[in-house]
Amino acid sequence: PATGEGLIVFVDARKDELFNAGHIPNAIQCDPDRMDDYIESVLQQIGGAQKVIVYCGGGDCVDSILLCKTLVVSYDVPIEKVFLFAGGYTEWKQNNMPSEPQGDENEG
């Protein structure tokens, strides 16, 4: 319920094709390689959030780590509200959690 109220915001740090193939429901995208394309909208959407949970594909993917650091260091998002979901979308799907859109997604 807190995600629907904007209190918990999931931020997906994956590329367009992976995000479009499937992501955590209500997640917003912010590819750290294209920060200028996303950051204004992301900052607006996470402004009132209590928790900002950043994820990517998990495993060897480091895009979520980079994005967490960038949000805190470059955009002054308070560190106490930024969380890293290290298992990423791969772990999310392995635990049969819901995703958007429905169907088979590439976890990348």
Side-chain angles (χ1 to χ4, degrees):
T3 57
E5 298 169 11
L7 299 177
I8 297 175
V9 178
F10 283 94
V11 180
D12 189 317
R14 298 176 303 148
K15 311 283 183 242
D16 290 345
E17 65 185 41
L18 296 173
F19 180 81
N20 292 335
H23 54 270
I24 293 174
N26 300 314
I28 56 175
Q29 185 185 14
C30 186
D31 178 352
D33 292 335
R34 296 178 41 221
M35 188 65 84
D36 291 343
D37 294 341
Y38 295 97
I39 194 61
E40 188 174 318
S41 175
V42 169
L43 291 174
Q44 207 170 51
Q45 293 181 64
I46 67 174
Q50 294 174 351
K51 293 182 181 180
V52 177
I53 304 170
V54 181
Y55 71 94
C56 57
D60 292 337
C61 180
V62 295
D63 289 339
S64 55
I65 296 169
L66 174 62
L67 183 56
C68 284
K69 181 178 178 182
T70 301
L71 289 172
V72 171
V73 173
S74 300
Y75 295 98
D76 298 321
V77 177
I79 194 168
E80 59 273 359
K81 78 181 216 178
V82 177
F83 296 84
L84 173 68
F85 177 21
Y89 191 66
T90 300
E91 184 177 316
W92 183 269
K93 290 300 292 175
Q94 286 173 345
N95 285 294
N96 298 314
M97 300 298 288
S99 65
E100 295 176 343
Q102 298 296 319
D104 294 330
E105 294 90 10
N106 179 352
E107 291 145 7

